[in-house]
Amino acid sequence: MVSAAADEEFLLAVLNSTPVVDGVPADEFADTARARAWLASAGGQGTAAELRHVAEARRLLQAVVRGEQPPDVLAPLLQGAACRPALVDGQIAWSLMVQPDRELAVRAVLAWDALRKASPGRLRPCANDECRLFLIDRSKAGTARWCSMAVCGNRMKARRHYERARNS
Ligand SMILES: [Zn+2]
């Protein structure tokens, strides 16, 4: 089975596949050939159906993480999925049983759930309201606010500085 860290990374990449580029909302799945190749490299099938399932999971997970929708909207993504336990080297290992085209979408939802249990509130939208990216806050204090300090952090600091200067 694929590692939890890899699934977490996949989840964040899916959530962050609708960035704002030069002020214009972009969709990295719009180039379907490239998106399908990326899904195949992430352990998927690379099919058109898989891309549709992952895009739907992205739409719903983004809304849930932004607090716009309750987690229950994710339920249709999990339909027909099951986990089967097996003993491997004395440990219980769980295998995800689901139609192959839907596996990546289900894994993204499971990664979201594992993350919110292990690190509640640490997956969140970037605090720059003009940015559509998400971050997983791995700081000890839990105070990370930006998808990237280099991009949004500095931009927001500069803006606050400008507003303070203007208002004084
Ligand atoms: Zn940002």
Side-chain angles (χ1 to χ4, degrees):
M1 194 156 185
V2 185
S3 78
D7 277 3
E8 206 169 271
E9 196 181 308
F10 175 70
L11 168 67
L12 191 62
V14 168
L15 288 172
N16 283 347
S17 60
T18 55
V20 174
V21 180
D22 298 329
V24 182
D27 180 357
E28 289 175 356
F29 291 176
D31 181 343
T32 55
R34 238 187 80 198
R36 287 168 59 177
W38 177 65
L39 292 178
S41 75
Q45 310 292 310
T47 61
E50 177 175 69
L51 179 58
R52 278 198 304 277
H53 291 305
V54 172
E56 177 67 357
R58 175 180 73 177
R59 184 178 72 82
L60 295 171
L61 283 165
Q62 286 180 337
V64 169
V65 177
R66 289 190 178 116
E68 297 164 357
Q69 296 279 349
D72 290 356
V73 299
L74 302 171
L77 297 169
L78 302 177
Q79 240 160 44
C83 275
R84 187 168 65 189
L87 264 168
V88 180
D89 297 331
Q91 305 280 342
I92 296 284
W94 293 89
S95 298
L96 180 58
M97 314 292 293
V98 67
Q99 189 206 328
D101 280 338
R102 295 184 46 219
E103 183 176 334
L104 281 182
V106 172
R107 271 174 36 201
V109 175
L110 296 181
W112 162 81
D113 183 61
L115 194 54
R116 74 173 182 155
K117 280 183 185 137
S119 317
R122 291 297 183 110
L123 172 64
R124 49 183 176 258
C126 177
N128 174 1
D129 54 16
E130 288 163 17
C131 175
R132 295 170 74 204
L133 298 184
F134 295 81
L135 63 135
I136 298 173
D137 181 358
R138 303 186 198 280
S139 72
K140 212 170 178 181
T143 52
R145 299 178 61 204
W146 323 108
C147 62
S148 145
M149 194 62 215
V151 182
C152 287
N154 285 335
R155 195 172 293 161
M156 297 302 277
K157 268 188 192 162
R159 188 193 296 174
R160 277 202 301 271
H161 179 80
Y162 169 76
E163 281 166 2
R164 262 200 309 274
R166 194 181 51 181
N167 293 334
S168 61

